[in-house]
Amino acid sequence: EAQVTQNPRYLITVTGKKLTVTCSQNMNHEYMSWYRQDPGLGLRQIYYSMNVEVTDKGDVPEGYKVSRKEKRNFPLILESPSPNQTSLYFCASSPTTAGGLSYGYTFGSGTRLTVV
Amino acid sequence: AQSVTQLGSHVSVSEGALVLLRCNYSSSVPPYLFWYVQYPNQGLQLLLKYTTGATLVKGINGFEAEFKKSETSFHLTKPSAHMSDAAEYFCAVRPDSGGYQKVTFGTGTKLQVIP
C-alpha cells in the first residue's frame, strides 16, 4: 500500500530534550515536506526537500532541522524543543516528475507533540 | 507569491442540506487547486483537484468544485450533507511551474452537520 509513515503518533517531552520524528514514504517520491498544524492557522510549512541532499526552509523553520540522506526518509529534528513547538505535525510527499505537480500530497497520519 | 483564503472557519448545515465551502486563491502563475479533508485524529486526504481541462471537478464522497478563473475561486459543494461529512476541509494551491513546488494551504473550514 502506498503510504507515508510517521512515528511516533503521540509524543510528550520536556523542554530542551532533543527528539526526532521519523517520516518514510514507499512511493519513490522526490518531494517531501513537513508541516505543522495549529488551530486557526491551518498548515504551515516547516521544511521541504526536492530530492536527496536537497532541503530548504519553509515558512516556519526556526527551531527545526531536517535531513534527506535517502529518498524515502525525511526526519524532523527538534534539537531543543520549547513549549511553542507543541503542535500537530504532518509529513507529506509528492512526485515532481512530469505531471507530478498535479498530484498533490500524500500525507502521513500525523504526530501530536506536546512539550512541557 | 500565492495564497489561499477560506471564508468561514466554521460552517453548520442540516443533514440533507447543500454544503458550500468557499475558497479564493491568488497565484502569479496558473495554479493547481486542491481540496483536502481531515477527519478527527487523522491525516489529510485528497478530496479532489483541478489541474487542467474541465472546470467542474468531481471528487470522492459526492463532493465537487468549480474552478472560476475570473473570480479566482474554487468553492466546494455537495448537494446533500451527510453526517459522515463532518470534518475539517482545506483548500490548497500549487503553481504548475517553477522550481519551488510548495503547496499553500488555507486555514481550514470545520463543517458541522446537524441531524
Side-chain angles (χ1 to χ4, degrees):
Chain A
E1 180 188 354
Q3 60 184 358
V4 176
T5 303
Q6 285 180 239
N7 281 297
R9 286 294 306 276
Y10 301 91
L11 179 59
I12 301 174
T13 190
V14 296
T15 299
K17 185 177 181 182
K18 181 179 179 179
L19 66 91
T20 299
V21 183
T22 63
C23 173
S24 181
Q25 51 94 3
N26 62 1
M27 296 164 283
N28 202 36
H29 286 169
E30 297 82 11
Y31 184 89
M32 298 185 74
S33 183
W34 277 102
Y35 284 81
R36 60 178 289 173
Q37 183 181 12
D38 301 290
L41 298 178
L43 281 81
R44 295 179 292 167
Q45 191 180 49
I46 303 170
Y47 270 93
Y48 67 97
S49 170
M50 298 288 286
N51 214 324
V52 175
E53 302 292 1
V54 181
T55 64
D56 207 346
K57 298 177 181 178
D59 299 317
V60 289
E62 294 77 20
Y64 304 95
K65 283 179 59 177
V66 293
S67 67
R68 187 92 181 272
K69 295 184 171 60
E70 304 166 284
K71 195 172 187 179
R72 63 185 292 124
N73 295 324
F74 191 45
L76 180 69
I77 302 158
L78 285 73
E79 295 212 322
S80 184
S82 63
N84 65 10
Q85 293 177 299
T86 292
S87 186
L88 180 59
Y89 291 86
F90 287 102
C91 181
S93 73
S94 81
T96 59
T97 50
L101 296 177
S102 69
Y103 279 74
Y105 282 160
T106 300
F107 280 88
S109 299
T111 296
R112 187 168 293 280
L113 172 66
T114 302
V115 184
V116 298
Chain B
Q2 57 190 24
S3 65
V4 177
T5 302
Q6 291 184 241
L7 291 176
S9 59
H10 291 81
V11 170
S12 293
V13 300
S14 298
E15 190 175 17
L18 171 71
V19 176
L20 172 59
L21 304 182
R22 299 179 186 273
C23 172
N24 288 88
Y25 71 92
S26 67
S27 178
S28 57
V29 296
Y32 294 129
L33 295 159
F34 308 87
W35 275 98
Y36 287 86
V37 59
Q38 184 181 29
Y39 298 104
N41 299 314
Q42 294 187 27
L44 281 76
Q45 177 184 356
L46 183 65
L47 198 57
L48 51 79
K49 63 183 180 183
Y50 168 77
T51 55
T52 58
T55 56
L56 183 62
V57 179
K58 295 187 185 299
I60 60 173
N61 301 335
F63 284 93
E64 61 183 36
E66 186 171 11
F67 171 59
K68 292 186 176 180
K69 186 176 180 180
S70 62
E71 299 178 7
T72 61
S73 69
F74 191 55
H75 302 329
L76 182 70
T77 60
K78 182 174 180 178
S80 176
H82 192 271
M83 296 298 295
S84 61
D85 295 327
E88 189 160 19
Y89 294 80
F90 292 91
C91 183
V93 61
R94 188 180 209 183
D96 74 347
S97 61
Y100 182 40
Q101 302 170 353
K102 175 184 176 181
V103 177
T104 300
F105 289 85
T107 53
T109 299
K110 281 190 177 175
L111 176 65
Q112 179 187 24
V113 182
I114 303 166

